[in-house]
Amino acid sequence: MLPSRLTNGNLTSLSRKLVSQQHRSLASKVSALSLTSKKRQGKKITMVTAYDYPSAIHVARAGIDIILVGDSVAMVELGHETTLPITLDHMLQHCMAVKRGVDQADRNKHHVPLLVGDMPFGTYEYRDTDVSLRNAYRFVKEAGMDAVKLEGGSVARANTARTIVDGGIAVMGHIGLTPQAISVIGGFRAQGRTAVRARQLVDEALRLQDAGCFAIVLECVPANVAAAVTETIEIPTIGIGAGGQTSGQVLVYHDMLGMTSHPHHEQFVPKFCKRYAQVGHIIQEGLLAYKKDVESGVFPGDEFAPYIMKDDERNVFDELLAQDAHERKRQHDEAAERYTATDEYEKLHLYGSSVDEPKIIH
């Protein structure tokens, strides 16, 4: 029997509501199929990188189609010169944070992007493609990603992509400039600028499409080459430094928003990146204002000191302090003497020379 408060009528209403909510959730979730549909309809696809909880919330709330948790995190957040040092475990941690951020944004009924995890260098290049599949499973099972991305369009790489797809995981390809192969291609250099190499890129794209990839990133290639690839294959192409005729575009979060920009220090930005904000300027303004307020005593002030002790508790506290005031003063004086002596050692530079210290000439 149904509980007394749950009649057949309101049970039906509840069921319809749940089905409706589920339908809205599925309808708002970007998928590999919906991206292909976008290409066929001539609608552009948007993709932005995100590496942590707050950036994921911002990107999801903006209605971006795809969030790429890129191995570029090694450079823009961890300070490495290349993407090569980042490990699988590190990437999974960043993917987990992004997933939580997207889930938080989704609670407010925002558009739900497709989540793609970048497989880092050294996790999928093996001849034994089962190694790649095991690592790809971790992105889905542990980090909540919808798909993985891998670089390269060789026959071997296509076989790896096919193994992962056959294992039930969607794969995004990546050709052109492939940062994980900079030791082979000679650094961060544009690709496909010769006719032969451009033709190879078309073949690589076809190879990855045949392997089951749902989309391909084209990085740093001439616009006409990217257009030829896009026209040749059915799956979407996502360009970065590849002109405007690809199916969509991707930019790095930190680059496009000027996260490390400074009013007096020019931030390096790739030639292909349009800066849509100078967040770094605002960050500097906020930090300098905070420093000034603290040093002048303006902050926190009464406004930001909200926790108040009741008068009777304050009186008891004062009495407790009075009971051992003499002993506490003695301990204070001893500590002050020790720290003063340490400070004098520093002033005399006994722990190292100073540029201001006079040099003795023998």
Side-chain angles (χ1 to χ4, degrees):
M1 293 182 62
L2 294 173
S4 58
R5 295 183 181 179
L6 193 60
T7 66
N8 286 327
N10 58 30
L11 177 61
T12 301
S13 176
L14 177 61
S15 299
R16 288 175 179 172
K17 183 177 180 180
L18 291 173
V19 170
S20 176
Q21 289 175 344
Q22 183 179 28
H23 176 73
R24 286 199 305 271
S25 177
L26 292 174
S28 64
K29 173 68 177 177
V30 177
S31 68
L33 290 177
S34 67
L35 294 173
T36 301
S37 177
K38 265 196 148 185
K39 177 183 178 179
R40 290 176 178 171
Q41 296 173 33
K43 297 179 180 179
K44 292 293 187 178
I45 297 167
T46 55
M47 181 163 85
V48 174
T49 64
Y51 312 106
D52 51 32
Y53 179 83
S55 62
I57 290 178
H58 288 308
V59 176
R61 287 178 177 172
I64 300 298
D65 294 315
I66 309 170
I67 291 181
L68 171 65
V69 189
D71 60 356
S72 48
V73 64
M75 300 176 69
V76 299
E77 285 207 351
L78 303 182
H80 294 293
E81 293 184 355
T82 71
T83 63
L84 303 184
I86 195 78
T87 67
L88 176 60
D89 286 338
H90 287 151
M91 283 300 304
L92 291 175
Q93 286 297 320
H94 287 285
C95 288
M96 292 175 192
V98 167
K99 178 63 166 63
R100 290 191 289 269
V102 170
D103 288 345
Q104 176 63 37
D106 187 35
R107 290 177 188 173
N108 298 320
K109 299 182 180 179
H110 286 278
H111 171 86
V112 184
L114 184 77
L115 302 181
V116 180
D118 223 346
M119 297 191 71
F121 180 67
T123 62
Y124 60 90
E125 298 87 348
Y126 305 95
R127 291 183 180 179
D128 181 1
T129 55
D130 285 346
V131 175
S132 308
L133 181 59
R134 285 196 295 271
N135 290 333
Y137 279 141
R138 295 190 65 188
F139 278 92
V140 177
K141 294 172 70 67
E142 297 178 30
M145 295 292 100
D146 301 309
V148 296
K149 182 175 78 65
L150 47 80
E151 295 182 4
S154 66
V155 173
R157 195 68 75 247
N159 287 336
T160 298
R162 182 176 291 105
T163 297
I164 297 174
V165 172
D166 288 345
I169 299 175
V171 175
M172 174 180 284
H174 183 159
I175 59 176
L177 171 58
T178 48
Q180 293 176 9
I182 58 170
S183 63
V184 176
I185 63 178
F188 296 100
R189 303 170 60 184
Q191 301 294 305
R193 291 191 289 185
T194 66
V196 172
R197 179 60 184 130
R199 184 64 180 83
Q200 290 174 346
L201 288 176
V202 175
D203 292 338
E204 290 177 2
L206 286 168
R207 195 176 291 133
L208 291 173
Q209 177 176 259
D210 291 343
C213 290
F214 71 90
I216 299 175
V217 172
L218 299 176
E219 182 169 358
C220 294
V221 300
N224 65 307
V225 177
V229 171
T230 303
E231 184 178 348
T232 299
I233 61 177
E234 288 297 314
I235 60 177
T237 57
I238 312 295
I240 178 167
Q245 298 185 60
T246 52
S247 310
Q249 297 292 323
V250 58
L251 284 177
V252 171
Y253 183 86
H254 292 63
D255 292 341
M256 68 178 294
L257 297 180
M259 290 295 291
T260 56
S261 65
H262 188 282
H264 309 299
H265 304 283
E266 186 63 28
Q267 174 199 14
F268 170 77
V269 179
K271 293 180 180 179
F272 54 76
C273 181
K274 179 177 179 179
R275 182 182 290 174
Y276 286 87
Q278 291 184 322
V279 176
H281 285 51
I282 300 173
I283 291 173
Q284 281 296 310
E285 290 174 5
L287 291 172
L288 290 172
Y290 163 74
K291 179 175 182 288
K292 181 180 178 181
D293 281 0
V294 171
E295 291 176 345
S296 65
V298 172
F299 179 82
D302 293 339
E303 180 182 359
F304 297 101
Y307 310 110
I308 300 173
M309 181 180 286
K310 294 180 179 179
D311 290 341
D312 55 344
E313 292 294 335
R314 181 192 295 268
N315 293 334
V316 174
F317 179 57
D318 289 341
E319 292 174 1
L320 291 174
L321 289 177
Q323 291 176 5
D324 62 346
H326 179 73
E327 177 61 20
R328 283 188 295 103
K329 184 179 185 307
R330 184 188 65 79
Q331 293 177 350
H332 173 271
D333 292 343
E334 289 179 356
E337 185 177 353
R338 288 197 306 271
Y339 282 103
T340 299
T342 301
D343 186 49
E344 289 300 323
Y345 275 117
E346 293 291 348
K347 289 179 180 178
L348 292 172
H349 312 304
L350 297 182
Y351 297 135
S353 62
S354 168
V355 291
D356 298 325
E357 188 176 357
K359 294 179 174 59
I360 300 175
I361 302 176
H362 296 284

